Amino acid sequence: MTIHIGAAKEDIAETVLMPGDPYRAKWAAETFLEDARLVNEVRGMLGYTGTWNGHPVTIQGSGMGMPSLSIYANELIRNYSAKTLIRIGSCGGMQDKVKVRDVILAMTASTVNSPSSSLFKELNFAPCADWGLLQAAAQAAAKRSTPTHVGGIYSSDVFYDERPDLNEQMVRHGILGVEMEAAELYTLAARYGCRALAVLTVSDHLGTGEALPSDQRERSFGDMVEIALEAAFS
Ligand code: HPA
């Protein structure tokens, strides 16, 4: 048990999928895992452990934003021995070629600020995905019809953005999409020698303003979960 996770140590698997939304953790566990059981409900941040093709897997909500994800990822790594952490979440598309419903595999995650920024002081650390996971996820994605993009994303601190100039620079430098968690996840994984990846579904587009209707979210999010699970155990 930790401050934010009520599970016993043996109830958390070495492989953890982390959606931002705790109800998506419930949906993914019930849809994709066998024998899924609730292992955490502290603060309503639901976590489930079950098996996928015989492999133990935990699906633990991270909450929204890097400060929240940082709490759960720190405790999963430092207190529960999680070794592979894969964010499954949504993002806003930033390039014309990136369409709503597409999948993005985040090779790097640029950020203005993260909970680790104070540690790095003047250093611009470059948070990046685990290469083996990224390669395996790209192979898993290639078997599916959903278009998949591999490249850099932007982990922002704000959803309601007051700095359009920053987004413009991100677009100009080829950044594929914006979300709010991956840079801190990649930084913690680097610090503690773990594997991390973010597999994202484009739920809206900053350029076109298009947004995925809620009734179509599930199918698109399903691809993302399957890609993450295949990558973890390939
Ligand atoms: N901004 C930040 N995070 C997001 C967005 C966005 O537009 N869409 C989905 N997650």
Side-chain angles (χ1 to χ4, degrees):
M1 249 168 87
T2 58
I3 294 174
H4 303 94
I5 302 175
K9 185 154 190 204
E10 60 275 16
D11 282 337
I12 301 286
E14 284 192 4
T15 299
V16 184
L17 268 47
M18 301 186 78
D21 177 355
Y23 286 111
R24 201 167 298 148
K26 179 174 163 47
W27 168 77
E30 288 171 352
T31 308
F32 296 97
L33 301 187
E34 279 143 39
D35 305 321
R37 62 188 198 282
L38 181 70
V39 293
N40 183 50
E41 51 183 337
V42 176
R43 290 176 182 245
M45 197 56 76
L46 306 177
Y48 294 81
T49 295
T51 60
W52 181 80
N53 286 353
H55 304 287
V57 176
T58 294
I59 307 184
Q60 169 64 55
S62 71
M64 288 178 284
M66 289 183 271
S68 180
L69 174 132
S70 189
I71 289 170
Y72 295 100
N74 260 292
E75 293 181 10
L76 288 166
I77 293 170
R78 291 160 58 169
N79 302 97
Y80 287 98
S81 315
K83 299 274 180 275
T84 297
L85 299 97
I86 304 181
R87 166 162 157 70
I88 48 173
S90 59
C91 72
M94 296 187 97
Q95 301 290 329
D96 291 343
K97 67 179 180 188
V98 173
K99 310 290 184 202
V100 167
R101 296 183 198 80
D102 289 2
V103 165
I104 292 177
L105 306 177
M107 186 155 63
T108 63
S110 300
T111 189
V112 172
N113 185 45
S114 81
S116 296
S117 298
S118 60
L119 186 66
F120 290 122
K121 299 183 182 160
E122 68 273 42
L123 186 72
N124 274 315
F125 179 72
C128 71
D130 176 82
W131 164 242
L133 279 181
L134 179 62
Q135 192 180 32
Q139 280 165 3
K143 292 190 265 170
R144 295 178 160 72
S145 57
T146 305
T148 301
H149 310 268
V150 182
I153 61 157
Y154 171 36
S155 295
S156 173
D157 258 354
V158 285
F159 187 91
Y160 296 104
D161 197 21
E162 301 284 350
R163 287 286 306 276
D165 57 315
L166 285 180
N167 288 340
E168 273 167 35
Q169 290 304 334
M170 290 289 128
V171 172
R172 197 175 154 221
H173 288 83
I175 292 298
L176 299 172
V178 55
E179 51 83 84
M180 300 180 67
E181 293 83 13
E184 175 68 1
L185 179 65
Y186 288 4
T187 303
L188 289 172
R191 191 177 308 153
Y192 293 108
C194 296
R195 307 193 302 163
L197 177 66
V199 182
L200 306 167
T201 300
V202 180
S203 61
D204 51 87
H205 199 285
L206 268 62
T208 64
E210 192 191 347
L212 198 57
S214 52
D215 62 336
Q216 290 182 28
R217 284 185 175 228
E218 214 158 272
R219 174 80 203 105
S220 314
F221 290 157
D223 278 338
M224 169 176 79
V225 181
E226 286 173 352
I227 290 167
L229 288 166
E230 279 184 39
F233 299 107
S234 70

